[in-house]
Each structure stands twice: as C-alpha cells, then as structure tokens.
C-alpha cells in the first residue's frame, strides 16, 4: 500500500519507535508507526474528515500519541494521569500528521484545536519478548 516518499524517518527517543512517511491511496501521505516489533499502524491523510487522535500508547516510562492535523494545522497536546498533566510539544510530520512523546506513563491524552477538544485513552503497549533459548 505504501511507497516511500522523500521524508526522513522520525525516531522517537523515549520509546525507540520510528515514524515513516509513505504514500497511500490517491497519492495522499501515509504515516507508518514502527515499534521494535514492526509496523503497528498506518494512517492515511483524509483531508476534511480527519482522525484528530489516531492512537495513544504507553510503555515502560513513556507515552506516545499521534493523529492527523486539523485544518489550520495547530494542536495542543496534554497527557493526563490523575491530577498530573503534562503539555507535550506536537511534532508535525509530512504536513499532515502530528506526534507527541513524553518520558512518563499516562492514562489519557487530550488534544485541543481551534474548534474543539478530544480526549482519548492511552493503551498500554507490551513489546513482544524473544523466547528464551
């Protein structure tokens, strides 16, 4: 489905994950989310009907959220756990997507735009373990 586009891969330092940009249907940008276990998500830019938050996961000492940029391209990302709130810088990818990573585990993420606010539960991610031999 996806073919390489001229965008470098974006490494995420806390998790060790990597984001790559490919090409989806009708030559739209596609965001590929790669973990140490392989590809876990491909989001194709949809334009008007965007998935503001596409995914949100946490692992050992980190949390990540990603989604499509809304019209206007501005998002404010906040990770929440109980009363703890951490604003996280959103990095723009290929002019169509955003990603935010923080070095702590959180339970939910809230994304605010000029026209609204969306909350999403952060799923726990467990990396596959190699069999003992």
């Amino acid at each position: 489905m996806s073919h390489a586009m001229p965008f470098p891969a974006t490494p995420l330092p806390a998790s060790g994950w990597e984001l790559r940009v490919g090409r989806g249907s009708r030559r739209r940008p596609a965001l590929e989310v790669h973990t140490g276990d392989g590809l876990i998500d491909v989001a194709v830019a949809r334009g008007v009907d965007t998935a503001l938050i596409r995914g949100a996961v946490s692992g050992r000492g980190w949390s990540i959220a990603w989604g499509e940029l809304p019209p206007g391209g501005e998002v404010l990302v906040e990770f929440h756990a109980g009363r703890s709130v951490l604003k996280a810088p959103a990095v723009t990818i290929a002019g169509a997507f955003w990603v935010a990573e923080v070095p702590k585990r959180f339970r939910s993420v809230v994304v605010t735009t000029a026209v609204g606010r969306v909350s999403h539960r952060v799923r726990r991610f467990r990396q596959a373990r190699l069999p003992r031999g």
Side-chain angles (χ1 to χ4, degrees), residues 51-72:
L52 188 58
I53 301 176
R54 171 71 185 201
V57 296
S58 68
R60 291 181 178 233
W62 51 265
S63 297
I64 301 171
W66 64 94
E68 285 185 66
L69 286 171

Side-chain angles (χ1 to χ4, degrees), residues 23-108:
R23 190 173 333 187
S25 60
R26 291 183 253 154
R27 303 183 61 81
R28 294 176 294 180
L31 178 69
E32 301 175 353
V33 180
H34 293 263
T35 73
D37 294 336
L39 180 67
I40 64 160
D41 189 27
V42 176
V44 178
R46 293 189 275 180
V48 178
D49 184 26
T50 63
L52 188 58
I53 301 176
R54 171 71 185 201
V57 296
S58 68
R60 291 181 178 233
W62 51 265
S63 297
I64 301 171
W66 64 94
E68 285 185 66
L69 286 171
E74 295 290 322
V75 294
L76 171 65
V77 180
E78 297 175 329
F79 286 90
H80 294 252
R83 293 177 187 231
S84 178
V85 177
L86 180 62
K87 290 182 182 178
V91 175
T92 299
I93 309 274
F97 304 98
W98 63 268
V99 63
E101 180 186 50
V102 292
K104 184 178 174 189
R105 289 186 56 200
F106 287 90
R107 293 187 186 140
S108 66

